[in-house]
């Protein structure tokens, strides 16, 4: 029977490495065979939560309705920078139906963002929280917000990172606007020397926009106190993270806080951390002795719950005539808003290609704009857009095919640490992707097409983490009738966690899919699993579920040996039937076996193994785009995207395709349309709804072909799964940008590539 | 005066009498009404302003031929009185009575059209309305029907596949079985003049133009609504209390479509979806302009009268109607008058309607053979996007292929829809050569001074206007 041990294990989460002490199994299960030899893993299985979702019976946090539930809404700053002098809630309080108001007048001091508090009187951006009203209805709460009188001193503001870095800019913090007081720096080799010796150099500046996650379900929580026990339903990607933040904020034991999240309407990173609104609702609910629902509306979503920060990237690359990439210099800055965050985008420059000389200098700059939050591969779509645009420019300069150039500079070992990879099939991705798009038919003379509508083809590379790791656990309960319940403290953002967990149990134990119940998203019942970000859910959770299922099989075989009075080594488990190979008469099925047991359920646990020492696990890939550009209107139409990736083992072909199509469409949208616009004169966001903040509609989709070049990464875990949610979005914008250049012979160095930028660039060319 | 509306929900007749009702008012949206009920939480709210489609419901109504017509609309933009005499269908009603899934739902499961699932009920409803229509299951029809539904997860491809499959073979469903009963109930709900008044608000639903004009005269500040998609936002987003509203929904005279030998007449309450359908044959440029006007859900509510009445400088409809030399028919208690559409819109969000006048309809002459009319729109997204610039062109060549008559009308280039008068004058009588067009382009540039805004820069607008002229003549060369 499995025992466990504790190890220090390194895992990469969002933007940095974390070393954690983790409980891992002592008897790691061997790798699975190829998917062709598995029953249900890798097959196109319909999601088990499909019925709930299409019938309207799926209950989201937004839909939770408790008896006597009151409604809370937040008053936010309408100006980008101010100090509150006085808050008068008198009129609002006397409005019939108002039950309570919290503000800096009466709220206890709760620390937030390291530098601030739950209700800070220093307002650092349009959308910063001022007060929270709870009322009998949302309409009353909203009316009350309008009745709150704020006296404040408006302060000079800065919404532009470059301006904010300057001497004269208004200071958001006394220490200055550069986070940490200095840039992040990295260097290897000797960049200056490499530039001196180079045969070819390219140097240019690229910029990318602020993008907003805008999941379809807005951020929301419902809280309920039962004595001093607090239950919170929250639309979150991190039930344990929210639990700990709420417990800390309210100074109560984590054991008294239960976080539940069954279904959620997307997150993309914006729901990776606990929001102030959840804590405000908990405080108000305690105050009024009633359950409270709090909702952040679409406008607030576009102001206050995070963004992909902008970037300005100055890149200088060098190569020798034979196509060796000899130097990369990356200088960048980006606005992180009024609170701690990150605008870094240099990871691709540091690790995408083999390059001996690399220098990075990047600044995260405080501005009076909304906060940053991880957004589907934070830093990477912007970093790859600049890097792979420059790579294409460099390849052109030395007259080399950009595909060949990338192949030549493929890193066999990790370029920063000289460490081997558990698996890397980037060359295969280049080859298979190029074949699928018809790369050999690419026009080698950019802009050569005749007529106003010109066609082009381009590509870009992808690198990301996604190996996951421990700690991550699962519990499996087998019932007397042969049905099973698998429980984990993870969450399904809509990505398919429910379904793959059931598939794994089915694969190992042959229990029919409709007899497997998956419970997740509840800190009261699920063993710990990490938050769902960084494309780590499947690579962290799937091995734990398999471990639990394999442990169950071991248990069943032991029980059967005792019941059948057989030797354990003679027993086999096939299709849910245990039989003795030495005596065909001796056989028993699961319900039969469990009927003989005293227990009505038997339980096993499973854990994710440690990551292999000394190895790096990453995902890789390449995307290829075919576009046409109307040179009269500047409109770009993407006709086809081929995505070829190494993401380890495919668990479910349908959910995998979903993730890739969705990621590519977000990438296309990032490339061509979505963009938060701030009026620099007022410091206010111009587009705070889904009409003005454009995300793609159904008619915008190109043909998409997804090729998975990997079978599995057996060194990484017993399932060999790597993550796929973030890899999908990373190279799309860069591939489209390179295709646009190939079509028109003019490079667009700014995202999104809107018709006006294209047309203006053509006009200036 | 009657203040009680009647509609069907969950196969039962629901009556709301606003003189007694305390929870809901005549400007409560159908979304807020449904989300207040215990068993309709499947109707989702994603934006509450008609941009995302998560709240899509279907309204079925008598089609005048003893059948029912099903329309998918955004419940966040519809006031309760608009349900009067109709069957309200939500996602909870779609599955079969035995709990098994309707074909559109099953296809969404099988093709993996649902990921996080929050937008799914809206997609199901749009697909269901399409299932109940007789439109073909072509890619174009499917895209058009689903344009108003945003999905942030799936990338849409599996949803298209699900729709294509579900619509292949449209067998009678459980709705078909109860249609007769429903029709019987709906027929019993009398369409009559209604006035729903609360302490602070009056909502009129007259049944004739005469009555409408009388009410307007008595309540000069009353806002006349047709689809009300703009007005709904004032209520839901700006929390305005609109004291007096006149809804034209029940006035048959405003819902008239008449085609004669030389023109098409449409009442002002005709929806843009209906206009799109009737213009397909004679007025392809109107069809084109309608097809890129918002989403199908919006088009099902937005009306000709509403679109002309707001006189938006970037409205898509006025330029193309002007290219067809459309007349606007207006009436008041004093009588009717006819105003050419380019005179009807006379400034930034200003019309030449006089006090007491309302838009009754429009008359679109059939162009003579040989006249070419085209519409172009430039925006970031393919649909559901307000134009940066839109343009309509009309050209009648003479026998020598010279430009006998030319009309060039732009939206988004000035404070209102505007003709390029100098360019028109320059081109008239000239031959259709590339040289002529290139000579015309600087003239065009000179006669407009567009502004920069969040949608794009002034410089871009100037270039695009010139290029669209070029595009028009390029396209002519192809024909």
């Amino acid at each position: 029977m499995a025992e466990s041990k504790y190890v220090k294990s390194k895992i990469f989460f969002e933007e940095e490495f974390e070393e954690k002490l983790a409980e891992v199994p002592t008897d790691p299960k061997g790798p699975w065979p190829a998917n062709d030899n598995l029953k249900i893993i890798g097959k196109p299985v319909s999601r088990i939560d499909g019925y709930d979702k299409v019938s309207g019976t799926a209950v989201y946090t937004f839909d939770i309705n408790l008896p006597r539930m009151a409604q809370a809404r937040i008053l936010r700053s309408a100006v980008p920078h101010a100090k509150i002098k006085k808050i008068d809630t008198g009129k609002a309080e006397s409005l019939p139906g108002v039950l309570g108001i919290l503000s800096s007048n009466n709220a206890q001091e709760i620390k937030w963002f390291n530098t601030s508090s739950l209700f800070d009187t220093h307002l650092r951006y349009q959308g910063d929280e001022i007060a929270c009203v709870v009322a009998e209805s949302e309409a009353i709460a909203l009316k009350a917000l309008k009745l709150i009188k704020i006296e404040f001193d408006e302060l000079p503001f800065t919404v532009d990172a470059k301006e904010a870095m300057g001497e004269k800019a208004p200071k958001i913090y006394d220490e200055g606007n550069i986070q940490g007081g200095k840039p992040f720096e990295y260097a290897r080799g000797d960049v200056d020397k490499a530039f001196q010796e180079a045969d070819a150099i390219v140097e240019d500046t690229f910029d990318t926009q602020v993008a907003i996650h805008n999941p379809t379900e807005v951020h929301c929580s419902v809280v309920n106190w039962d004595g001093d026990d607090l239950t919170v339903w929250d639309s979150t990607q991190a039930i344990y993270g929210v639990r700990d933040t709420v417990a800390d904020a309210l100074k109560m034991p984590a054991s008294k806080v239960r976080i539940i999240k069954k279904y959620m309407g997307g997150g993309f990173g914006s729901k990776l951390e606990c929001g102030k609104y959840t804590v405000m609702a908990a405080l108000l609910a305690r105050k009024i002795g009633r359950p409270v629902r709090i909702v952040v509306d679409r406008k607030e979503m576009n102001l206050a719950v995070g963004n992909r920060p902008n970037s300005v990237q100055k890149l200088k690359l060098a190569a020798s005539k034979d196509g060796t990439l000899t130097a990369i210099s990356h200088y960048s800055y980006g606005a992180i808003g009024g609170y701690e965050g990150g605008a870094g985008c240099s990871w691709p420059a540091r690790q995408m290609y083999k390059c001996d000389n690399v220098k990075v200098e990047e600044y995260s700059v405080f501005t009076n704009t909304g906060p940053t939050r991880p957004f589907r591969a934070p830093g990477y779509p912007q970093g790859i857009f600049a890097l792979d645009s420059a790579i294409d420019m460099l390849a052109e300069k030395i007259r080399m095919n950009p595909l060949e150039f990338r192949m030549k500079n493929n890193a066999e070992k990790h370029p920063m640490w000289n460490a081997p990879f558990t698996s890397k099939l980037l060359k295969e991705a280049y080859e298979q992707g190029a074949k699928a798009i018809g790369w050999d038919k690419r026009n080698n003379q950019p802009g050569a097409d005749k007529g106003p509508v010109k066609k082009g083809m381009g590509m870009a590379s992808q690198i990301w983490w996604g190996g996951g790791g421990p700690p991550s656990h699962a519990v499996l309960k087998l019932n007397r009738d042969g049905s099973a319940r698998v429980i984990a403290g993870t969450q399904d953002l809509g990505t398919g966690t429910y379904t793959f967990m059931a598939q794994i149990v089915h694969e190992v134990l042959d229990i029919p899919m409709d007899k497997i119940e998956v419970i997740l998203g509840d800190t009261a019942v699920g063993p710990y699993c990490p938050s769902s970000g960084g494309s780590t859910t499947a690579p962290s959770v799937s091995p734990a579920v398999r471990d639990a299922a394999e442990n169950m099989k071991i248990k069943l075989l032991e029980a059967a040996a005792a019941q059948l009075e057989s030797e354990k080594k003679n027993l086999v488990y096939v299709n849910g039937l245990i039989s003795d190979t030495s005596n065909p008469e001796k056989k028993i099925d699961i319900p039969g076996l469990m009927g003989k047991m005293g227990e009505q359920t038997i339980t096993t646990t499973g854990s994710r193994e440690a990551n292999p020492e000394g190895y790096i696990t990453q995902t890789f890939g390449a995307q290829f785009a075919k576009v046409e550009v109307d040179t009269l209107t500047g409109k770009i139409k993407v006709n086809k995207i081929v995505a070829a990736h190494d993401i380890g083992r495919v668990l479910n072909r349908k959910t995998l395709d979903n993730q890739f199509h969705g990621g590519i469409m977000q990438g296309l949208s990032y490339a061509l349309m979505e963009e938060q616009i701030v009026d620099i004169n007022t410091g206010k966001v111009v587009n705070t709804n889904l009409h003005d903040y454009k995300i793609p509609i159904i008619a915008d989709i190109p043909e998409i072909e997804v090729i998975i070049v990997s079978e599995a990464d057996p060194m990484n875990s017993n399932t060999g799964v790597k993550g796929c949610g973030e890899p999908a979005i990373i190279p799309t914008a860069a591939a489209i940008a390179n295709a646009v250049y190939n079509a028109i012979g003019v490079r667009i160095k700014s995202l999104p590539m809107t018709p006006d930028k294209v047309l203006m660039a053509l006009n200036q060319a | 005066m009657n203040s009680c509306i009647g509609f069907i929900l969950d196969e039962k007749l629901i009556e709301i009498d606003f003189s007694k009702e305390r929870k809901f008012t005549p400007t409560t949206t159908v979304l807020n009404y449904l989300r207040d009920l215990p068993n309709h939480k499947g109707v989702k709210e994603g934006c509450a302003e008609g941009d995302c489609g998560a709240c899509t419901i279907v309204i079925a109504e008598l089609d005048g031929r003893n059948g029912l017509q099903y329309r998918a609309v955004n419940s966040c933009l519809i006031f309760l009185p608009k349900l009067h005499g109709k069957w309200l269908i939500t996602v909870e009603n779609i599955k079969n009575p035995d709990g098994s899934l309707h074909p559109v739902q099953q296809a969404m499961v099988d093709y993996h059209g649902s990921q996080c699932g929050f937008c799914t009920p809206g997609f199901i409803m749009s697909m269901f309305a399409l299932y109940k229509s007789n439109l073909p299951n072509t890619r174009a029809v499917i895209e058009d029907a689903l344009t108003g539904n945003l999905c942030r997860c799936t990338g849409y491809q599996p949803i298209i596949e699900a729709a294509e499959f579900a619509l292949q073979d449209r067998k009678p469903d459980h709705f078909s079985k109860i249609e007769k009963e429903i029709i019987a109930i709906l027929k019993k709900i009398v369409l009559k003049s209604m006035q729903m008044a609360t302490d602070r608000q009056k909502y009129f639903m007259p049944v004739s133009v005469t009555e409408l004009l009388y009410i307007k005269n008595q309540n000069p500040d009353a806002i006349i609504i047709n689809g009300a998609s703009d007005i709904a936002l004032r209520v839901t987003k700006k929390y305005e209390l609109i004291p007096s509203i006149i809804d034209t929904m029940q006035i048959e005279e405003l819902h008239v479509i008449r085609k004669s030998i030389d023109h098409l007449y449409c009442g002002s309450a005709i929806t843009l979806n209906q206009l799109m359908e009737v213009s397909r044959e004679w007025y392809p440029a109107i069809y084109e302009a309608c097809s890129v006007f918002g989403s199908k859900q919006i088009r099902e509510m937005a009306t000709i009268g509403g679109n002309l009445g707001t006189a938006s400088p970037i409205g898509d409809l006025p330029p193309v109607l002007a290219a067809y030399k459309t007349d606007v028919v207006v009436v008041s208690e004093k009588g009717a008058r006819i105003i050419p559409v380019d005179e009807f819109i006379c400034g930034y969000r200003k019309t030449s309607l006089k006090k007491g006048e309302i838009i009754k309809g429009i008359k679109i002459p059939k162009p003579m053979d040989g006249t070419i009319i085209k519409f172009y729109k430039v925006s970031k997204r393919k649909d559901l996007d307000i134009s940066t610039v839109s343009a309509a062109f009309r050209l009648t060549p003479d026998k020598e292929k010279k430009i006998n008559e030319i009309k060039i009308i732009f939206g988004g280039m000035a404070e209102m829809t505007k003709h390029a008068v100098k360019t028109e004058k320059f081109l008239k009588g000239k031959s259709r050569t590339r040289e002529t067009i290139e000579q015309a382009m600087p003239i065009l540039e000179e006669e407009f001074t567009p502004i920069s805004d969040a949608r794009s820069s002034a410089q871009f607008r100037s270039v695009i206007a010139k290029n669209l002229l070029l595009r028009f003549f390029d396209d002519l060369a192809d024909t």
Side-chain angles (χ1 to χ4, degrees), chain A residues 642-662:
Chain A
V642 170
H645 294 260
D646 164 11
I647 47 85
R649 184 189 301 276
V650 176
L651 283 173
N652 181 337
R653 187 67 209 199
K654 279 193 187 177
T655 46
L656 173 105
D657 281 337
N658 260 178
Q659 283 286 68
F660 268 98
H661 279 254

Side-chain angles (χ1 to χ4, degrees), chain B residues 8 10-12 68 70 87 89 93 97 132 173-185:
Chain B
I8 298 171
D10 300 335
E11 292 164 38
K12 289 190 290 283
L68 288 172
Y70 296 78
W87 182 14
I89 301 166
N93 305 128
K132 300 301 286 180
D173 56 11
H174 66 97
F175 291 85
S176 320
K177 284 184 196 151
I178 56 166
E179 259 187 16
K180 266 193 181 159
E181 292 163 51
I182 297 286
I183 290 170
I185 305 175

Side-chain angles (χ1 to χ4, degrees), chain A residues 340-410:
Chain A
E340 59 181 11
C345 54
S346 67
W347 270 112
R350 283 180 268 158
Q351 61 169 354
M352 183 73 245
Y353 299 106
K354 181 179 183 317
C355 179
D356 292 338
N357 308 291
V358 177
K359 194 181 155 211
V360 165
E361 180 182 341
E362 62 186 4
Y363 297 82
S364 290
V365 186
F366 289 117
T367 48
N368 296 110
T369 55
T372 68
R373 285 237 178 120
F375 185 169
R376 205 168 194 163
Y380 280 65
Q382 51 268 56
I384 285 286
F385 165 66
L387 179 67
D388 267 40
S389 292
I391 288 281
D392 260 37
M393 291 160 72
L394 192 55
E396 188 180 34
K397 208 158 188 181
I398 58 166
R399 294 168 191 280
M400 199 166 178
N401 186 302
L403 172 65
E404 199 189 321
F405 186 72
R406 285 178 175 85
M407 293 274 240
K408 187 171 170 62
N409 293 291
N410 182 36

Side-chain angles (χ1 to χ4, degrees), chain B residues 166-336:
Chain B
L167 298 168
Q168 251 173 35
D169 180 18
R170 278 171 265 188
K171 293 198 180 80
D173 56 11
H174 66 97
F175 291 85
S176 320
K177 284 184 196 151
I178 56 166
E179 259 187 16
K180 266 193 181 159
E181 292 163 51
I182 297 286
I183 290 170
I185 305 175
L186 291 182
K187 279 187 172 166
K188 278 187 202 149
I189 303 172
V190 187
L191 299 185
K192 62 212 154 177
S193 175
M194 304 218 287
Q195 179 183 338
M196 289 148 275
T198 64
D199 307 345
R200 298 183 300 163
Q201 196 172 41
K202 281 188 257 180
Y203 193 109
F204 302 94
M205 287 219 285
V207 291
S208 70
V209 171
T210 316
E211 194 194 350
L212 164 66
L213 292 170
Y214 175 78
I215 298 170
K216 178 74 182 160
N217 216 345
Q218 300 294 305
N219 302 271
D221 296 331
I223 292 175
I224 298 175
I225 63 167
N226 296 303
S229 42
D230 278 355
I231 303 297
L233 291 182
R234 282 171 58 183
V235 174
T236 58
K237 289 289 157 180
K238 298 191 173 150
Y239 314 109
E240 269 185 59
L241 180 94
I242 299 173
S244 191
I245 291 174
I246 308 170
D247 187 335
T248 63
M249 185 180 87
Q250 298 197 96
I251 304 174
E252 260 179 55
E253 297 157 82
L254 300 183
H255 285 85
V256 172
I257 295 176
R258 247 189 338 256
K259 219 168 177 177
S260 65
I261 317 168
D262 62 348
H263 75 269
L264 170 74
Y265 174 84
C266 290
S268 61
I270 290 302
T271 67
L272 295 187
N273 218 33
Q274 290 171 298
L275 175 64
M276 182 172 155
E277 277 161 36
V278 295
S279 60
R280 191 191 292 259
E281 191 187 345
W282 285 3
Y283 310 97
I286 294 181
Y287 179 84
E288 171 69 21
C290 288
S291 74
V292 291
F293 181 100
S295 64
K296 189 163 186 186
Q297 285 100 313
I298 300 276
R299 269 192 342 250
E300 292 279 22
M301 295 307 294
T303 60
I304 295 170
N307 201 259
L308 288 176
T310 57
S312 163
I314 46 174
D316 289 336
L317 215 45
V320 72
L321 290 180
Y324 281 100
K325 300 184 177 177
T326 301
D327 284 326
V328 183
V329 182
V330 304
V331 288
S332 68
E333 286 189 308
K334 289 173 201 144

